Amino acid sequence: MTKAERTRQFIIEQAAPIFNKKGIAGTAISDIMEATKLAKGGVYGNFESKDEICLEAFSYLTKSLSTAINQSMEGKASAKEKLFALLDFYTGRLTKSNTGGCPILNFGTEADDTNPVIKQKVKEAIAASQNRIAAVVKQGLQRGEFKQTFDPETFAIKMFTMIEGAILISRVQGSNDHMKLITSMLKAEIEQNCS
C-alpha cells in the first residue's frame, strides 16, 4: 500500500464512525479534519468531495459489519447455531456500541430521499444481509435440519426487518429490551421450524 493509499484509508477509517453517528448532513469536513488532524487540503487531496468520503465510509462500515457477523457464525456446526449466533451478535454489539449503531439503518434513513448513490449502496447491503440469512436457512433445509415448509426468503426478510427495527427502538430508548424480545421471538420461530 502506498503512502497515499494509507492516508486515504486512514481518512475513511476516522470518518466512518463520525458519519455513522452524526449522519451525512450533520458531518462537516471540519469534523473529519479534527479526527484525522489533517488540513482541509490534506483531506481534499485524497477525495474529490465529502460525498466521496461518505460513500467510502459506508462501504468500510458495512464491510466491517459483514466481517464481524461472519466471524460470529464461524465454527457453528448447524444452521440453527449460525442463526442464533447472528441474533446474539446483534443483541450484544450494535445496540450497545458507541460507533452509532447499524450503518445500514443510519445511512438508509438519511439517504432514502436525498442521496440516490448511497441509497443504492444501502439497497445492496440490505440484499446482502437478507441473502446471508436465506443462505443459512437453505443450508439447514438441504441438511434436513429444518422443516421443508420453512421459507428462506420470507424468513430472511422478516428477521432482517425485525432486527433493524429493534436496533432503532433500542438505541432511541437506551435499552436493549426490544432487541432481546425480538431475538427471543425469532429464536422461537427458528426452533419451531427445526425438524
Side-chain angles (χ1 to χ4, degrees):
M1 192 180 268
T2 67
K3 184 179 179 187
E5 289 169 335
R6 284 194 305 272
T7 302
R8 186 176 166 88
Q9 186 61 32
F10 173 72
I11 294 168
I12 293 166
E13 290 173 7
Q14 297 303 306
I18 300 168
F19 277 112
N20 203 34
K21 287 179 187 175
K22 295 180 88 173
I24 300 166
T27 299
I29 289 300
S30 60
D31 295 321
I32 298 167
M33 290 166 50
E34 183 179 327
T36 60
K37 308 296 186 229
L38 293 171
K40 196 173 196 176
V43 174
Y44 281 125
N46 290 280
F47 295 93
E48 290 183 20
S49 66
K50 184 178 105 171
D51 285 344
E52 184 184 1
I53 303 169
C54 179
L55 184 61
E56 292 294 331
F58 178 73
S59 295
Y60 171 78
L61 288 165
T62 53
K63 184 177 179 185
S64 298
L65 176 60
S66 183
T67 299
I69 290 171
N70 289 339
Q71 288 172 346
S72 76
M73 294 190 302
E74 268 179 23
K76 306 300 182 205
S78 71
K80 175 186 152 185
E81 289 172 335
K82 288 178 183 178
L83 291 172
F84 276 33
L86 192 148
L87 289 166
D88 291 341
F89 169 85
Y90 278 104
T91 304
R93 179 167 173 194
L94 285 181
T95 53
K96 296 177 184 175
S97 79
N98 63 355
T99 59
C102 181
I104 297 170
L105 178 65
N106 294 339
F107 282 74
T109 301
E110 188 171 357
D112 68 339
D113 293 321
T114 61
N115 191 319
V117 175
I118 295 286
K119 180 179 180 179
Q120 181 58 38
K121 292 295 180 186
V122 171
K123 284 172 68 174
E124 292 167 11
I126 291 169
S129 297
Q130 291 175 348
N131 289 340
R132 175 191 290 113
I133 297 166
V136 173
V137 174
K138 287 175 186 174
Q139 181 185 58
L141 286 165
Q142 290 168 351
R143 293 179 177 175
E145 296 173 32
F146 294 132
K147 297 173 184 172
Q148 290 303 308
T149 54
F150 197 20
D151 184 327
E153 284 77 19
T154 301
F155 182 74
I157 292 168
K158 178 193 286 187
M159 181 170 161
F160 179 78
T161 304
M162 290 174 74
I163 287 170
E164 290 296 310
I167 290 170
L168 173 65
I169 293 169
S170 293
R171 290 191 63 83
V172 168
Q173 292 188 335
S175 166
N176 222 13
D177 292 345
H178 280 80
M179 181 58 77
K180 288 177 182 174
L181 177 64
I182 291 302
T183 55
S184 175
M185 291 168 61
L186 288 165
K187 285 181 178 182
E189 184 172 347
I190 292 164
E191 290 276 12
Q192 290 167 2
N193 281 286
C194 287
S195 296

